[in-house]
Amino acid sequence: MTQVNFQRHRRLRSSATMRAMVKETYLHKEDLIYGLFVVEGQNIKREVPSMPGVWQLSLDHLEEEINEVVELGIPAVILFGIPIEKDAVGTGAYHDHGIIQEATRFIKERHPELLVIADTCLCEYTDHGHCGLVEGETILNDPSLDILARTAVSQAQAGADIIAPSNMMDGFVAAIRKGLDEAGFENIPIMSYGVKYASAYYGPFRDAADGAPQFGDRKTYQMDPANRLEAFREAESDINEGADMIIIKPALAYLDIIRDVRNNYNLPIIAYNVSGEYAMVKAAAQNGWIDEKSVVLESLLGMKRAGADMILTYHAKDVARWLEEK
């Protein structure tokens, strides 16, 4: 062996202490955003069948959940609203007493330090289930922008700390930024779903949020999973229109896109660990096929390593507990 020259990489893996000293990527509680599904009505606490451990909650059950989030040290939640009634223009999205508006007030009154992010879209509120207004089977872009801006302003008035528009209409960031500024909310940041693919991984979310489209699909406004360069165009236009942060959705199948965006733009990036990713891990863990804790932590570390600053994940409460154990 004296005649063989090679690198001894294992020197830096020789003990737990050594490995900790040279560790490059870390996951912290402060990186986490937890998704909440709030529903109109009373005494509602329904577990989402395809998302074990995730619940649809009415306001009278929300306090216990929020208290737990705060106690675990998770800094932010994102709210997805489920109204009782829907209509063609998504009135519940921008109503002053809509479910997200009421949930925001509820949370901020009890925990003003907890960041409330409002998902700004129409699909949960329209009877057709699309993210914009429709004419026949065409999703209308420009007429939808006024409704989206009105929704964002209503959410900010209710106390939302961050507006997170997810509709993927062209110009939605510009319209919302203009609406917020004109209403006196120039200091409210926009966390844009700037790079959102038309993904098969969203199935469980549509069960949770009751937001499946009633005709067609969302491929005319969400991105083609085959496309990489399109992500640059989408991210750049949102940044130019006033986005303060960019969400990339989904995460696991798009780690290359997270890295691409990180390499080219210097604003905060959020990886959305979506419902299908969550459901697959949960199902495999319940069958004893994987170690849930190890797989989740490895997956989220991969998202951080790819360049994400924050991770929106339904695993957030479990991850916070696991990090505390460490």
Side-chain angles (χ1 to χ4, degrees), residues 253-303:
Y254 298 86
L255 295 176
D256 60 322
I257 305 301
I258 295 173
R259 172 47 57 187
D260 280 341
V261 175
R262 163 51 63 231
N263 286 345
N264 285 274
Y265 305 103
N266 60 9
L267 78 178
I269 294 172
I270 299 90
Y272 193 154
N273 180 212
V274 300
S275 61
E277 298 165 0
Y278 175 90
M280 290 191 300
V281 169
K282 283 291 186 180
Q286 289 180 349
N287 278 286
W289 297 336
I290 61 170
D291 178 86
E292 181 179 356
K293 174 182 174 181
S294 298
V295 167
V296 170
L297 291 178
E298 183 177 341
S299 297
L300 270 57
L301 269 175
M303 297 170 202

Short mmCIF file of all heavy atoms in Angstrom, two decimals, residues 253-303:
data_model
loop_
_atom_site.label_atom_id
_atom_site.label_comp_id
_atom_site.label_asym_id
_atom_site.label_seq_id
_atom_site.Cartn_x
_atom_site.Cartn_y
_atom_site.Cartn_z
N ALA A 253 -38.70 17.08 -6.18
CA ALA A 253 -38.43 16.80 -7.59
C ALA A 253 -37.85 18.01 -8.31
O ALA A 253 -37.56 17.92 -9.52
CB ALA A 253 -39.71 16.34 -8.29
N TYR A 254 -37.65 19.13 -7.58
CA TYR A 254 -37.21 20.37 -8.22
C TYR A 254 -36.04 20.99 -7.46
O TYR A 254 -35.86 22.21 -7.46
CB TYR A 254 -38.39 21.35 -8.30
CG TYR A 254 -39.52 20.80 -9.14
CD1 TYR A 254 -40.48 19.97 -8.58
CD2 TYR A 254 -39.58 21.04 -10.50
CE1 TYR A 254 -41.50 19.42 -9.34
CE2 TYR A 254 -40.59 20.49 -11.29
CZ TYR A 254 -41.55 19.68 -10.70
OH TYR A 254 -42.54 19.13 -11.47
N LEU A 255 -35.21 20.15 -6.85
CA LEU A 255 -34.03 20.66 -6.14
C LEU A 255 -33.08 21.37 -7.09
O LEU A 255 -32.40 22.32 -6.69
CB LEU A 255 -33.32 19.52 -5.42
CG LEU A 255 -34.10 18.83 -4.28
CD1 LEU A 255 -33.31 17.66 -3.74
CD2 LEU A 255 -34.43 19.82 -3.17
N ASP A 256 -33.04 20.93 -8.34
CA ASP A 256 -32.19 21.62 -9.31
C ASP A 256 -32.68 23.04 -9.56
O ASP A 256 -31.87 23.98 -9.74
CB ASP A 256 -32.14 20.84 -10.63
CG ASP A 256 -33.52 20.66 -11.27
OD1 ASP A 256 -34.51 20.46 -10.54
OD2 ASP A 256 -33.61 20.72 -12.51
N ILE A 257 -33.99 23.23 -9.53
CA ILE A 257 -34.55 24.57 -9.74
C ILE A 257 -34.25 25.47 -8.54
O ILE A 257 -33.92 26.66 -8.70
CB ILE A 257 -36.07 24.49 -9.98
CG1 ILE A 257 -36.39 23.53 -11.15
CG2 ILE A 257 -36.65 25.86 -10.23
CD1 ILE A 257 -35.76 23.92 -12.47
N ILE A 258 -34.34 24.90 -7.33
CA ILE A 258 -33.98 25.67 -6.14
C ILE A 258 -32.53 26.16 -6.25
O ILE A 258 -32.23 27.33 -6.01
CB ILE A 258 -34.17 24.82 -4.86
CG1 ILE A 258 -35.65 24.49 -4.65
CG2 ILE A 258 -33.61 25.55 -3.63
CD1 ILE A 258 -35.92 23.52 -3.52
N ARG A 259 -31.64 25.27 -6.66
CA ARG A 259 -30.23 25.65 -6.81
C ARG A 259 -30.05 26.68 -7.91
O ARG A 259 -29.29 27.65 -7.75
CB ARG A 259 -29.40 24.39 -7.08
CG ARG A 259 -27.93 24.63 -7.43
CD ARG A 259 -27.22 25.61 -6.50
NE ARG A 259 -27.26 25.21 -5.11
CZ ARG A 259 -26.83 25.98 -4.11
NH1 ARG A 259 -26.34 27.19 -4.37
NH2 ARG A 259 -26.91 25.57 -2.86
N ASP A 260 -30.74 26.51 -9.03
CA ASP A 260 -30.64 27.48 -10.12
C ASP A 260 -31.05 28.88 -9.66
O ASP A 260 -30.36 29.87 -9.94
CB ASP A 260 -31.55 27.06 -11.28
CG ASP A 260 -30.95 25.98 -12.16
OD1 ASP A 260 -29.72 25.80 -12.12
OD2 ASP A 260 -31.71 25.31 -12.88
N VAL A 261 -32.18 28.94 -8.98
CA VAL A 261 -32.69 30.25 -8.53
C VAL A 261 -31.75 30.84 -7.48
O VAL A 261 -31.45 32.04 -7.50
CB VAL A 261 -34.13 30.12 -8.01
CG1 VAL A 261 -34.62 31.45 -7.43
CG2 VAL A 261 -35.06 29.67 -9.14
N ARG A 262 -31.25 29.99 -6.57
CA ARG A 262 -30.31 30.49 -5.56
C ARG A 262 -29.04 31.05 -6.22
O ARG A 262 -28.52 32.09 -5.79
CB ARG A 262 -29.95 29.34 -4.61
CG ARG A 262 -28.71 29.52 -3.75
CD ARG A 262 -28.65 30.84 -2.98
NE ARG A 262 -29.71 30.97 -2.03
CZ ARG A 262 -30.52 32.03 -1.93
NH1 ARG A 262 -30.38 33.05 -2.75
NH2 ARG A 262 -31.46 32.09 -1.03
N ASN A 263 -28.56 30.38 -7.25
CA ASN A 263 -27.32 30.83 -7.89
C ASN A 263 -27.49 32.14 -8.65
O ASN A 263 -26.51 32.83 -8.92
CB ASN A 263 -26.81 29.76 -8.87
CG ASN A 263 -26.20 28.57 -8.15
OD1 ASN A 263 -25.90 28.63 -6.96
ND2 ASN A 263 -26.01 27.48 -8.89
N ASN A 264 -28.72 32.49 -8.99
CA ASN A 264 -28.94 33.65 -9.85
C ASN A 264 -29.60 34.83 -9.17
O ASN A 264 -29.57 35.95 -9.71
CB ASN A 264 -29.77 33.23 -11.07
CG ASN A 264 -28.96 32.45 -12.08
OD1 ASN A 264 -28.32 33.03 -12.94
ND2 ASN A 264 -28.98 31.12 -11.96
N TYR A 265 -30.20 34.62 -8.00
CA TYR A 265 -30.91 35.71 -7.31
C TYR A 265 -30.57 35.68 -5.83
O TYR A 265 -30.35 34.62 -5.24
CB TYR A 265 -32.42 35.59 -7.53
CG TYR A 265 -32.79 35.53 -9.00
CD1 TYR A 265 -33.14 34.31 -9.59
CD2 TYR A 265 -32.77 36.66 -9.80
CE1 TYR A 265 -33.46 34.24 -10.93
CE2 TYR A 265 -33.08 36.60 -11.15
CZ TYR A 265 -33.43 35.38 -11.71
OH TYR A 265 -33.73 35.32 -13.05
N ASN A 266 -30.55 36.86 -5.22
CA ASN A 266 -30.07 36.93 -3.84
C ASN A 266 -31.17 37.21 -2.82
O ASN A 266 -30.88 37.54 -1.68
CB ASN A 266 -28.97 38.00 -3.71
CG ASN A 266 -29.46 39.39 -4.09
OD1 ASN A 266 -30.65 39.61 -4.30
ND2 ASN A 266 -28.53 40.33 -4.20
N LEU A 267 -32.44 37.06 -3.19
CA LEU A 267 -33.50 37.26 -2.22
C LEU A 267 -33.83 35.92 -1.56
O LEU A 267 -33.45 34.85 -2.05
CB LEU A 267 -34.73 37.88 -2.87
CG LEU A 267 -35.68 37.01 -3.71
CD1 LEU A 267 -36.84 37.85 -4.20
CD2 LEU A 267 -35.00 36.32 -4.85
N PRO A 268 -34.53 35.92 -0.41
CA PRO A 268 -34.84 34.66 0.28
C PRO A 268 -35.66 33.71 -0.57
O PRO A 268 -36.59 34.12 -1.28
CB PRO A 268 -35.62 35.13 1.52
CG PRO A 268 -35.17 36.53 1.75
CD PRO A 268 -34.95 37.10 0.38
N ILE A 269 -35.31 32.43 -0.49
CA ILE A 269 -35.98 31.37 -1.24
C ILE A 269 -36.63 30.40 -0.27
O ILE A 269 -36.00 29.97 0.71
CB ILE A 269 -34.99 30.64 -2.15
CG1 ILE A 269 -34.47 31.59 -3.24
CG2 ILE A 269 -35.62 29.40 -2.77
CD1 ILE A 269 -33.34 31.01 -4.06
N ILE A 270 -37.88 30.05 -0.56
CA ILE A 270 -38.63 29.11 0.26
C ILE A 270 -38.91 27.86 -0.56
O ILE A 270 -39.47 27.94 -1.65
CB ILE A 270 -39.96 29.72 0.75
CG1 ILE A 270 -39.71 30.97 1.61
CG2 ILE A 270 -40.78 28.70 1.55
CD1 ILE A 270 -39.65 32.25 0.82
N ALA A 271 -38.53 26.71 -0.04
CA ALA A 271 -38.89 25.44 -0.65
C ALA A 271 -40.21 24.98 -0.06
O ALA A 271 -40.35 24.92 1.16
CB ALA A 271 -37.81 24.39 -0.39
N TYR A 272 -41.16 24.65 -0.90
CA TYR A 272 -42.46 24.17 -0.44
C TYR A 272 -42.45 22.64 -0.53
O TYR A 272 -42.56 22.06 -1.60
CB TYR A 272 -43.59 24.77 -1.29
CG TYR A 272 -44.99 24.59 -0.73
CD1 TYR A 272 -46.00 25.49 -1.06
CD2 TYR A 272 -45.33 23.53 0.10
CE1 TYR A 272 -47.29 25.35 -0.57
CE2 TYR A 272 -46.61 23.38 0.61
CZ TYR A 272 -47.59 24.29 0.26
OH TYR A 272 -48.86 24.14 0.73
N ASN A 273 -42.32 22.01 0.64
CA ASN A 273 -42.39 20.55 0.77
C ASN A 273 -43.87 20.15 0.75
O ASN A 273 -44.52 20.11 1.76
CB ASN A 273 -41.71 20.17 2.09
CG ASN A 273 -41.68 18.71 2.40
OD1 ASN A 273 -41.73 18.34 3.58
ND2 ASN A 273 -41.60 17.85 1.42
N VAL A 274 -44.38 19.84 -0.44
CA VAL A 274 -45.82 19.83 -0.67
C VAL A 274 -46.51 18.58 -0.14
O VAL A 274 -45.88 17.62 0.31
CB VAL A 274 -46.13 20.02 -2.17
CG1 VAL A 274 -45.58 21.35 -2.67
CG2 VAL A 274 -45.59 18.86 -3.00
N SER A 275 -47.84 18.59 -0.27
CA SER A 275 -48.69 17.57 0.35
C SER A 275 -48.37 16.16 -0.14
O SER A 275 -48.37 15.21 0.65
CB SER A 275 -50.15 17.90 0.07
OG SER A 275 -50.42 17.92 -1.33
N GLY A 276 -48.11 15.99 -1.44
CA GLY A 276 -47.81 14.67 -1.95
C GLY A 276 -46.50 14.12 -1.40
O GLY A 276 -46.39 12.92 -1.12
N GLU A 277 -45.52 14.99 -1.23
CA GLU A 277 -44.25 14.59 -0.63
C GLU A 277 -44.47 14.14 0.81
O GLU A 277 -43.92 13.13 1.26
CB GLU A 277 -43.26 15.75 -0.70
CG GLU A 277 -42.91 16.18 -2.12
CD GLU A 277 -42.22 17.53 -2.19
OE1 GLU A 277 -41.99 18.15 -1.14
OE2 GLU A 277 -41.90 17.96 -3.31
N TYR A 278 -45.27 14.91 1.52
CA TYR A 278 -45.62 14.59 2.91
C TYR A 278 -46.35 13.26 2.99
O TYR A 278 -46.03 12.38 3.80
CB TYR A 278 -46.48 15.72 3.48
CG TYR A 278 -47.02 15.49 4.87
CD1 TYR A 278 -46.29 15.89 6.00
CD2 TYR A 278 -48.27 14.91 5.07
CE1 TYR A 278 -46.80 15.71 7.28
CE2 TYR A 278 -48.79 14.72 6.35
CZ TYR A 278 -48.05 15.12 7.44
OH TYR A 278 -48.55 14.93 8.72
N ALA A 279 -47.37 13.09 2.14
CA ALA A 279 -48.21 11.90 2.19
C ALA A 279 -47.41 10.63 1.90
O ALA A 279 -47.63 9.58 2.52
CB ALA A 279 -49.38 12.03 1.20
N MET A 280 -46.48 10.69 0.94
CA MET A 280 -45.69 9.51 0.61
C MET A 280 -44.84 9.07 1.79
O MET A 280 -44.74 7.88 2.09
CB MET A 280 -44.81 9.80 -0.61
CG MET A 280 -45.58 9.94 -1.91
SD MET A 280 -44.53 9.98 -3.38
CE MET A 280 -43.51 11.42 -3.05
N VAL A 281 -44.22 10.04 2.46
CA VAL A 281 -43.40 9.71 3.62
C VAL A 281 -44.25 9.11 4.73
O VAL A 281 -43.89 8.10 5.34
CB VAL A 281 -42.64 10.96 4.12
CG1 VAL A 281 -41.99 10.70 5.48
CG2 VAL A 281 -41.59 11.39 3.10
N LYS A 282 -45.40 9.73 4.98
CA LYS A 282 -46.28 9.24 6.04
C LYS A 282 -46.75 7.81 5.75
O LYS A 282 -46.77 6.95 6.64
CB LYS A 282 -47.48 10.17 6.20
CG LYS A 282 -47.19 11.45 6.94
CD LYS A 282 -46.91 11.16 8.40
CE LYS A 282 -46.75 12.43 9.21
NZ LYS A 282 -46.47 12.15 10.64
N ALA A 283 -47.15 7.55 4.51
CA ALA A 283 -47.64 6.23 4.15
C ALA A 283 -46.54 5.18 4.29
O ALA A 283 -46.76 4.09 4.84
CB ALA A 283 -48.18 6.23 2.72
N ALA A 284 -45.34 5.49 3.81
CA ALA A 284 -44.24 4.54 3.92
C ALA A 284 -43.86 4.30 5.38
O ALA A 284 -43.56 3.16 5.77
CB ALA A 284 -43.04 5.06 3.13
N ALA A 285 -43.88 5.35 6.19
CA ALA A 285 -43.54 5.20 7.61
C ALA A 285 -44.58 4.35 8.33
O ALA A 285 -44.24 3.50 9.16
CB ALA A 285 -43.42 6.57 8.26
N GLN A 286 -45.86 4.57 8.03
CA GLN A 286 -46.91 3.80 8.68
C GLN A 286 -46.84 2.32 8.31
O GLN A 286 -47.26 1.46 9.09
CB GLN A 286 -48.28 4.38 8.32
CG GLN A 286 -48.56 5.71 8.98
CD GLN A 286 -49.92 6.29 8.63
OE1 GLN A 286 -50.60 5.80 7.73
NE2 GLN A 286 -50.32 7.33 9.34
N ASN A 287 -46.29 2.03 7.14
CA ASN A 287 -46.12 0.63 6.73
C ASN A 287 -44.80 0.03 7.23
O ASN A 287 -44.52 -1.13 6.95
CB ASN A 287 -46.18 0.53 5.20
CG ASN A 287 -47.60 0.49 4.68
OD1 ASN A 287 -48.29 -0.51 4.80
ND2 ASN A 287 -48.05 1.61 4.12
N GLY A 288 -44.01 0.84 7.92
CA GLY A 288 -42.75 0.35 8.46
C GLY A 288 -41.65 0.22 7.43
O GLY A 288 -40.64 -0.45 7.67
N TRP A 289 -41.82 0.86 6.28
CA TRP A 289 -40.84 0.73 5.20
C TRP A 289 -39.66 1.69 5.35
O TRP A 289 -38.59 1.46 4.77
CB TRP A 289 -41.52 0.98 3.85
CG TRP A 289 -42.59 -0.01 3.52
CD1 TRP A 289 -42.71 -1.28 4.00
CD2 TRP A 289 -43.69 0.20 2.63
NE1 TRP A 289 -43.82 -1.89 3.47
CE2 TRP A 289 -44.45 -1.01 2.62
CE3 TRP A 289 -44.12 1.25 1.85
CZ2 TRP A 289 -45.59 -1.17 1.86
CZ3 TRP A 289 -45.26 1.09 1.09
CH2 TRP A 289 -45.99 -0.10 1.08
N ILE A 290 -39.85 2.79 6.06
CA ILE A 290 -38.78 3.77 6.25
C ILE A 290 -38.80 4.25 7.70
O ILE A 290 -39.79 4.08 8.41
CB ILE A 290 -38.93 4.99 5.31
CG1 ILE A 290 -40.25 5.72 5.58
CG2 ILE A 290 -38.81 4.59 3.85
CD1 ILE A 290 -40.38 7.05 4.88
N ASP A 291 -37.71 4.87 8.10
CA ASP A 291 -37.67 5.57 9.38
C ASP A 291 -38.07 7.02 9.13
O ASP A 291 -37.33 7.77 8.48
CB ASP A 291 -36.25 5.50 9.97
CG ASP A 291 -36.15 6.26 11.29
OD1 ASP A 291 -36.45 5.67 12.34
OD2 ASP A 291 -35.79 7.46 11.26
N GLU A 292 -39.26 7.39 9.58
CA GLU A 292 -39.83 8.70 9.23
C GLU A 292 -38.91 9.86 9.61
O GLU A 292 -38.65 10.75 8.80
CB GLU A 292 -41.20 8.87 9.90
CG GLU A 292 -41.87 10.19 9.56
CD GLU A 292 -43.24 10.33 10.20
OE1 GLU A 292 -43.71 9.37 10.85
OE2 GLU A 292 -43.85 11.41 10.06
N LYS A 293 -38.43 9.86 10.84
CA LYS A 293 -37.60 10.97 11.31
C LYS A 293 -36.37 11.14 10.43
O LYS A 293 -36.06 12.25 9.98
CB LYS A 293 -37.20 10.72 12.76
CG LYS A 293 -36.21 11.72 13.33
CD LYS A 293 -35.83 11.36 14.75
CE LYS A 293 -34.73 12.26 15.30
NZ LYS A 293 -34.36 11.89 16.69
N SER A 294 -35.67 10.05 10.17
CA SER A 294 -34.44 10.13 9.38
C SER A 294 -34.71 10.60 7.96
O SER A 294 -33.97 11.43 7.42
CB SER A 294 -33.74 8.76 9.35
OG SER A 294 -33.37 8.36 10.66
N VAL A 295 -35.77 10.08 7.35
CA VAL A 295 -36.08 10.45 5.97
C VAL A 295 -36.50 11.92 5.88
O VAL A 295 -36.09 12.65 4.97
CB VAL A 295 -37.17 9.52 5.40
CG1 VAL A 295 -37.72 10.07 4.09
CG2 VAL A 295 -36.60 8.13 5.17
N VAL A 296 -37.34 12.37 6.80
CA VAL A 296 -37.79 13.76 6.77
C VAL A 296 -36.62 14.72 6.96
O VAL A 296 -36.45 15.68 6.20
CB VAL A 296 -38.87 14.02 7.84
CG1 VAL A 296 -39.17 15.51 7.97
CG2 VAL A 296 -40.15 13.26 7.50
N LEU A 297 -35.79 14.46 7.96
CA LEU A 297 -34.67 15.36 8.22
C LEU A 297 -33.68 15.36 7.05
O LEU A 297 -33.15 16.41 6.68
CB LEU A 297 -33.96 14.96 9.52
CG LEU A 297 -34.76 15.19 10.81
CD1 LEU A 297 -33.97 14.70 12.02
CD2 LEU A 297 -35.12 16.66 10.98
N GLU A 298 -33.46 14.20 6.45
CA GLU A 298 -32.57 14.14 5.28
C GLU A 298 -33.14 14.90 4.10
O GLU A 298 -32.43 15.63 3.39
CB GLU A 298 -32.33 12.67 4.90
CG GLU A 298 -31.36 12.49 3.74
CD GLU A 298 -31.08 11.04 3.44
OE1 GLU A 298 -31.34 10.17 4.29
OE2 GLU A 298 -30.59 10.76 2.32
N SER A 299 -34.46 14.76 3.89
CA SER A 299 -35.10 15.46 2.77
C SER A 299 -35.03 16.97 2.96
O SER A 299 -34.71 17.72 2.02
CB SER A 299 -36.56 15.03 2.65
OG SER A 299 -36.66 13.66 2.34
N LEU A 300 -35.32 17.45 4.16
CA LEU A 300 -35.29 18.89 4.41
C LEU A 300 -33.88 19.45 4.37
O LEU A 300 -33.66 20.57 3.89
CB LEU A 300 -35.98 19.21 5.74
CG LEU A 300 -37.49 19.49 5.66
CD1 LEU A 300 -38.25 18.33 5.02
CD2 LEU A 300 -38.07 19.81 7.03
N LEU A 301 -32.92 18.67 4.82
CA LEU A 301 -31.52 19.08 4.68
C LEU A 301 -31.15 19.22 3.20
O LEU A 301 -30.40 20.12 2.81
CB LEU A 301 -30.59 18.08 5.36
CG LEU A 301 -30.23 18.32 6.82
CD1 LEU A 301 -29.40 17.17 7.35
CD2 LEU A 301 -29.49 19.64 7.00
N GLY A 302 -31.68 18.32 2.37
CA GLY A 302 -31.43 18.41 0.94
C GLY A 302 -31.96 19.70 0.35
O GLY A 302 -31.34 20.30 -0.52
N MET A 303 -33.11 20.13 0.83
CA MET A 303 -33.68 21.39 0.36
C MET A 303 -32.82 22.57 0.80
O MET A 303 -32.59 23.51 0.02
CB MET A 303 -35.11 21.54 0.89
CG MET A 303 -36.06 20.47 0.39
SD MET A 303 -37.65 20.50 1.25
CE MET A 303 -38.21 18.81 0.96
#
